[in-house]
Amino acid sequence: MTVTIGITGGIGSGKSQVVSLLETYGMTSYIADRESKRLAATLPAIRERLTALLGEDIYGADGLNRRRMASLIFRDPSLLTQVNAIIHPEVARHFSEWVARQSAPWAVLESAILFESRFDRQVDWRVTVCAPGMLCLQRVMVRDGLTETEVRRRMENQWTDEVKKAKSDYVVYNDEKQALIPQIERLVKSLSEKRAGAPDIFPDGHAPY
């Protein structure tokens, strides 16, 4: 049986770095953002509904115009909710099918909106990656070439770290102060012991990091 781990965190928190480290332990990964982009570009059902909602020009010769879509939905919470209602069920279905095909003992789901999208219901364990807001802001501006205003607008549409932490089984701090690799080692050790039925080394269900 494949045990699933959901990795979440705010934009720029460093989720992908944590997933990459978990992959070194032989874990296979499903990147929800990447798959949602692919599904939005290839599934006729999504294309038809997004076009009806956002207009014919939301798709061009190169496929879905994600920058335009972002400029629309991050200004209008109602539009964001409607777009999520179109895409999230398809991603959830695709993830379930993907897990069913896995032979590895561990599978990781990376999703910035693990809880908001209710993808957390599809995984066995939930991990939130945290980093200070200003650090996340700077990372995303450099990585994606966005303005501070654009990044802040996206941040405003995400749940806070405190809310995510309260719903998580583990928390990892990617703040460039606390060493990341030892945290991952402790996380993997704890999950492995839980899988083996060993006594919980973190009785309250949360790792001390």
Side-chain angles (χ1 to χ4, degrees):
M1 174 184 174
T2 298
V3 175
T4 52
I5 307 166
I7 304 293
T8 193
I11 184 172
S13 60
K15 298 180 295 296
S16 296
Q17 186 178 6
V18 169
V19 170
S20 293
L21 289 171
L22 291 174
E23 288 175 340
T24 66
Y25 288 88
M27 299 187 185
T28 185
S29 61
Y30 182 101
I31 312 304
D33 183 59
R34 181 177 65 205
E35 293 301 327
S36 70
K37 290 177 182 177
R38 188 181 65 78
L39 292 172
T42 59
L43 280 186
I46 292 181
R47 180 167 185 148
E48 290 171 7
R49 295 179 67 188
L50 287 182
T51 298
L53 178 65
L54 303 175
E56 293 288 340
D57 60 347
I58 202 64
Y59 283 88
D62 298 324
L64 178 62
N65 187 336
R66 294 190 64 83
R67 186 136 194 172
R68 171 167 168 70
M69 185 171 75
S71 71
L72 294 172
I73 64 178
F74 289 119
R75 294 172 185 271
D76 186 337
S78 174
L79 271 183
L80 176 60
T81 299
Q82 293 177 75
V83 167
N84 287 342
I86 293 170
I87 296 177
H88 290 172
E90 298 295 344
V91 176
R93 186 177 302 110
H94 187 260
F95 174 68
S96 293
E97 294 170 351
W98 176 84
V99 170
R101 297 193 300 270
Q102 301 309 302
S103 57
W106 300 92
V108 177
L109 166 63
E110 178 192 325
S111 173
I113 50 173
L114 184 75
F115 298 111
E116 298 94 319
S117 62
R118 298 186 177 180
F119 291 161
D120 61 301
R121 299 181 179 185
Q122 294 183 259
V123 297
D124 300 303
W125 303 100
R126 299 143 199 88
V127 180
T128 289
V129 183
C130 296
M134 283 305 299
L135 179 57
C136 292
L137 179 70
Q138 293 165 1
R139 286 172 175 169
V140 178
M141 289 175 64
V142 171
R143 183 190 69 195
D144 297 342
L146 298 175
T147 66
E148 180 176 339
T149 299
E150 288 175 317
V151 178
R152 288 191 180 280
R153 187 175 294 132
R154 297 185 184 196
M155 286 179 162
E156 289 169 0
N157 284 282
Q158 296 183 337
W159 288 9
T160 66
D161 282 351
E162 293 307 312
V163 172
K164 292 180 179 180
K165 285 161 63 176
K167 293 178 174 291
S168 297
D169 300 293
Y170 299 93
V171 178
V172 171
Y173 292 95
N174 191 13
D175 55 9
E176 299 184 0
K177 293 181 179 179
Q178 302 177 63
L180 185 58
I181 291 177
Q183 294 183 69
I184 300 303
E185 290 174 344
R186 293 197 297 271
L187 171 63
V188 171
K189 182 176 185 291
S190 176
L191 289 171
S192 297
E193 290 182 343
K194 287 177 182 292
R195 182 186 177 101
D200 188 358
I201 61 174
F202 304 128
D204 63 355
H206 292 75
Y209 47 82

